[in-house]
Amino acid sequence: MRKIIKICFLLAISGSLLVGIGSGVAFAEYSSIEYGGKKEIVETKNIHKSVMVEVDSDMLCPPIENSSQKPILFIDDWDNNNNFDIETDKNVPKDSVKITVDYETASDSISIFLSKDSVDCLGKVYRNSLDIFANYNNSVADVGSFVKTSRQVLNDLKHRKLYDYTDNSGVKKVVLYINPDANFTIEKGQSKPVISKDEYDSLPEDTKLSLNEEDYIIQK
């Protein structure tokens, strides 16, 4: 019995020593790794694309103050925090908007969509969604990118280097072009709920009193 206890004790001591040695070696290996700064992990290229979108009348918010104003095309590029520029171009048709995008991506193409996204509630919220994204043929591209990235990280560790890996892909610049004589103007985001004069007149008096002109637009 004492012999068994002695053997177990020796095994425990030996195990502790091996763990300590292993930890020391691992710490020494980790301490020898150098920080190499930032490194782009995915190879990308810039894609420049333009599309011409015809603006339908139901995409436009009616003039807010008076009939002499132009209707408003509210455009919401939510994914990019509405970080787009608006410029004029006489070559753009008066009933259209030209969307130009610079996109850094590993894919071979990008898609650009401008679609009506209005909401009818108490009043109507006018909003047109601008969606921009890279196209990938299938999930194999994602798997290939993951494998390539893993190999890069392992290779860097092999050479005692560790980087702050970055992905430079994404939208770089968006410009919306409109004819200076177009029959509408462009604003970012979405409108406040718009209530026509007839709709307003048909509302119960208590509902009218609850409406805040800072939150709603009442077209008179």
Side-chain angles (χ1 to χ4, degrees):
M1 185 67 180
R2 289 183 179 179
K3 187 175 182 180
I4 294 174
I5 294 174
K6 185 177 181 180
I7 292 172
C8 292
F9 178 75
L10 291 174
L11 288 173
I13 295 296
S14 300
S16 299
L17 288 173
L18 289 174
V19 170
I21 293 171
S23 299
V25 172
F27 179 77
E29 288 289 319
Y30 178 79
S31 299
S32 66
I33 296 176
E34 297 180 5
Y35 174 64
K38 291 187 176 182
K39 185 175 186 179
E40 189 174 340
I41 197 64
V42 179
E43 294 181 5
T44 59
K45 56 184 175 293
N46 183 72
I47 294 180
H48 181 83
K49 183 176 181 178
S50 296
V51 297
M52 194 76 72
V53 180
E54 185 176 350
V55 178
D56 297 329
S57 59
D58 61 351
M59 298 171 69
L60 298 171
C61 176
I64 293 175
E65 294 296 335
N66 54 65
S67 59
S68 64
Q69 284 189 329
K70 292 182 178 180
I72 303 169
L73 179 67
F74 283 95
I75 295 181
D76 194 357
D77 183 13
W78 186 83
D79 288 337
N80 299 300
N81 298 315
N82 287 324
N83 188 25
F84 57 83
D85 297 324
I86 303 171
E87 299 183 9
T88 57
D89 184 348
K90 291 184 178 180
N91 296 315
V92 176
K94 295 180 181 180
D95 62 348
S96 301
V97 57
K98 179 182 176 182
I99 305 171
T100 301
V101 175
D102 284 300
Y103 200 116
E104 194 76 20
T105 177
S107 72
D108 295 323
S109 63
I110 63 173
S111 293
I112 304 170
F113 295 101
L114 180 63
S115 55
K116 175 187 172 184
D117 192 23
S118 300
V119 178
D120 289 303
C121 48
L122 178 54
K124 184 173 185 177
V125 176
Y126 289 86
R127 177 179 182 268
N128 299 281
S129 297
L130 177 59
D131 297 306
I132 306 167
F133 54 87
N135 299 318
Y136 292 94
N137 292 331
N138 49 48
S139 59
V140 174
D142 294 332
V143 174
S145 177
F146 173 76
V147 171
K148 185 176 181 180
T149 300
S150 300
R151 288 177 178 173
Q152 180 65 60
V153 174
L154 291 173
N155 185 64
D156 291 339
L157 289 173
K158 181 180 178 181
H159 291 86
R160 302 289 191 274
K161 289 281 188 179
L162 189 62
Y163 296 86
D164 180 8
Y165 298 101
T166 60
D167 183 357
N168 194 40
S169 61
V171 175
K172 298 304 174 183
K173 187 176 182 180
V174 180
V175 182
L176 274 57
Y177 295 92
I178 182 176
N179 191 301
D181 298 321
N183 55 9
F184 61 90
T185 60
I186 296 177
E187 290 191 18
K188 298 181 179 181
Q190 65 184 33
S191 73
K192 298 176 182 178
V194 178
I195 302 176
S196 69
K197 181 66 167 60
D198 292 338
E199 289 175 319
Y200 179 78
D201 290 340
S202 65
L203 294 174
E205 287 301 321
D206 56 344
T207 302
K208 291 179 182 179
L209 293 174
S210 67
L211 293 180
N212 187 339
E213 290 194 6
E214 294 181 358
D215 300 324
Y216 288 85
I217 297 171
I218 303 173
Q219 291 183 320
K220 301 178 181 179

